[in-house]
Amino acid sequence: MAKRKQLSGAEKAAILLISMGPDVSAQVYKHLTEEEIEKLTLEIAGVRKVDSSTKEEIVEQFHQLAQAQDYISQGGIGYAKDVLEKALGTEEAMEVINRLTSSLQVRPFDFARKADPGQILNFIQSEHPQTIALILSYLESEQSGQILSSLPQEVQADVAKRIALMDSTSPEIISEVENILEKKLSATVTHDFTQAGGIESVVEVLNKVDRSTERTILDSLEIQDPELAEEIKKRMFVFEDIVTLDNRSIQRVIRDVENEDLQLSLKVSSDEVKEIVFKNMSQRMADTFKEEMEFMGPVRLRDVEEAQTRIVSVIRRLEEAGEIIIARGGGDDIIV
C-alpha cells in the first residue's frame, strides 16, 4: 500500500477551502493579505483529486484547532490542554496544542485582557512610558483608553506617541514584561511574538478616552510631532463615520461643506450613509443631489478621497468650535 504524501500547511488550507465551498471561501479571502490570497489560489488551482478520507481528516484537524483556540481564549493553554486530553487523549491533545501554538499563536498579555483596568493601572503607572506603551498596545482598546485617561497628563502624550511609533518588539523584552506583570496580577500568561502598536492602535485607544484626555494628548503631540498628530487626527474620524452624528450635526455639516464635495463623497458611499444624509436634506435638495450624482458618471477614487478629506476637515473644525458633537466614549459626550 502506497504511503500517503505528507501535505504542507498551504496544501491543507487549499483542500479545506475547497471542502467548504466557494461562498465560505470567499468570506475567508476577505481576511487574508494579497500575498496569502495569491498563494492559496495557486494551491487550489493545483489540486486535482483528493480522496474523501483526506478531506475529512483535514476538516477534523481544523475543527480541533478551532476548538482548542476557543478553549485557550476561555481559560488559557492549561485549560485547553485539560479539556482536549479528556476528549482526545493525552497524545492527540498535545499534537493539537503544538500545531496551534506554532501557527495560531496566543497573543501576549492575554491574562491582562481579562483583568480590571484599574488593577493594571496600579501596577504599571510608575513604569517607564515605553513599558506602559508596550502593555497598552496589547490590551483591548477600551481597557487601554481607560488606563491612558487615568495616567498623569504629562505622561499621556508621551505614551500615545510611543504606541503610534512602536514597531516590532523583541520576544525577550515582551517575555520579560509579561512575566513581571504576570507575577503582579497572579494570572496565567501565554507567549507569542507578534507585532503591536502603530497609528491604528493609538487611534483605537484615543477613540475610547474621554474628550479632555484626547485633546490634551493631541495638543501635546502637535508640539512634539505635528505630522504624527495630523495623521492620527485623520484616522480618528472618517467620512463613513458621519452616520454616528446626530441629525442636527449632520444638517450643520451639509450647510458648511461644498455641494460638489458632498456629491462626490456620496457617489461611492454605502446606502446607510446616503440614506442618513438625504434624510437631513429638504426633499428638493435631496432630489437635486440624486439627479446630479446620476449624471456625474464615473469618478476617480483620488477625487472622492480628497473630497471626503475636505468634509472630514470641516467636521473636525466644527467639533473643535463646539458646533457639533462627535460621540467617542467618555462621560463628557452625555447631553443633558
Side-chain angles (χ1 to χ4, degrees):
M1 183 176 176
K3 187 177 181 180
R4 180 183 292 178
K5 174 193 171 187
Q6 186 70 28
L7 298 173
S8 67
E11 288 172 326
K12 288 181 179 180
I15 294 171
L16 177 64
L17 289 181
I18 292 171
S19 303
M20 292 191 298
D23 291 338
V24 176
S25 297
Q27 293 301 313
V28 173
Y29 265 33
K30 292 179 181 179
H31 301 279
L32 303 178
T33 64
E34 289 186 8
E35 183 180 351
E36 289 169 336
I37 290 173
E38 181 180 342
K39 186 175 181 181
L40 260 180
T41 302
L42 287 173
E43 290 290 347
I44 291 172
V47 173
R48 292 294 178 261
K49 185 178 180 182
V50 183
D51 61 82
S52 58
S53 62
T54 300
K55 279 186 181 181
E56 289 174 4
E57 182 180 334
I58 290 171
V59 171
E60 178 60 24
Q61 283 184 10
F62 173 75
H63 177 65
Q64 290 175 350
L65 288 176
Q67 276 190 317
Q69 181 69 37
D70 186 45
Y71 295 149
I72 287 174
S73 67
Q74 291 178 43
I77 283 188
Y79 172 75
K81 182 173 175 290
D82 289 342
V83 174
L84 291 172
E85 281 182 347
K86 292 175 182 176
L88 308 173
T90 302
E91 187 176 339
E92 194 170 346
M94 286 310 300
E95 286 181 9
V96 172
I97 291 292
N98 290 337
R99 284 201 302 269
L100 183 65
T101 53
S102 65
S103 58
L104 303 175
Q105 294 281 348
V106 181
R107 278 174 58 79
F109 300 96
D110 180 59
F111 65 90
R113 286 189 288 279
K114 299 176 181 129
D116 180 80
Q119 285 182 309
I120 300 174
L121 173 66
N122 289 335
F123 293 129
I124 71 172
Q125 58 187 343
S126 60
E127 296 291 338
H128 188 279
Q130 186 66 25
T131 302
I132 299 174
L134 173 65
I135 294 171
L136 296 191
S137 295
Y138 282 105
L139 299 182
E140 300 293 346
S141 56
E142 190 165 344
Q143 283 179 303
S144 298
Q146 291 181 40
I147 294 170
L148 190 59
S149 297
S150 302
L151 291 172
Q153 285 192 2
E154 63 271 16
V155 178
Q156 291 173 346
D158 190 14
V159 170
K161 180 179 179 181
R162 289 172 186 272
I163 294 174
L165 300 180
M166 191 179 295
D167 197 0
S168 56
T169 306
S170 72
E172 292 77 13
I173 293 176
I174 294 176
S175 180
E176 182 180 350
V177 175
E178 275 188 310
N179 287 334
I180 293 172
L181 195 56
E182 175 193 13
K183 290 175 183 176
K184 291 180 177 179
L185 291 176
S186 300
T188 304
V189 62
T190 54
H191 295 278
D192 148 75
F193 313 119
T194 58
Q195 184 172 317
I199 291 178
E200 289 299 336
S201 180
V202 78
V203 166
E204 287 183 5
V205 172
L206 289 180
N207 276 333
K208 300 295 183 181
V209 304
D210 59 86
R211 182 118 6 180
S212 60
T213 300
E214 173 197 310
R215 286 175 180 163
T216 299
I217 291 172
L218 288 177
D219 288 346
S220 182
L221 282 179
E222 282 179 344
I223 298 172
Q224 299 177 35
D225 194 331
E227 290 185 7
L228 175 61
E230 184 59 25
E231 185 62 26
I232 290 173
K233 280 185 176 180
K234 285 180 182 177
R235 301 195 193 191
M236 286 193 69
F237 187 98
V238 296
F239 177 76
E240 297 286 327
D241 291 338
I242 199 170
V243 298
T244 65
L245 300 179
D246 60 73
N247 291 333
R248 186 190 65 80
S249 296
I250 294 174
Q251 291 162 16
R252 178 59 193 272
V253 171
I254 292 172
R255 290 202 305 271
D256 280 45
V257 301
E258 296 293 333
N259 285 353
E260 184 180 353
D261 283 346
L262 191 53
Q263 289 165 5
L264 269 173
S265 299
L266 291 174
K267 178 78 174 175
V268 297
S269 294
S270 66
D271 291 338
E272 182 185 12
V273 172
K274 290 176 183 174
E275 181 182 350
I276 199 166
V277 171
F278 289 145
K279 187 180 80 171
N280 283 281
M281 293 178 176
S282 67
Q283 188 61 51
R284 182 177 178 181
M285 185 179 186
D287 291 340
T288 301
F289 259 61
K290 292 174 184 177
E291 184 178 344
E292 290 180 358
M293 286 165 58
E294 186 177 347
F295 287 100
M296 192 180 290
V299 294
R300 293 193 309 171
L301 180 60
R302 179 180 175 183
D303 291 338
V304 173
E305 290 175 344
E306 289 176 351
Q308 291 182 346
T309 298
R310 287 191 290 271
I311 291 175
V312 169
S313 295
V314 171
I315 292 172
R316 289 216 316 263
R317 174 175 57 76
L318 289 173
E319 186 201 22
E320 289 170 359
E323 299 292 335
I324 65 173
I325 293 175
I326 299 176
R328 293 198 185 98
D332 60 348
D333 282 333
I334 299 173
I335 302 174
V336 295

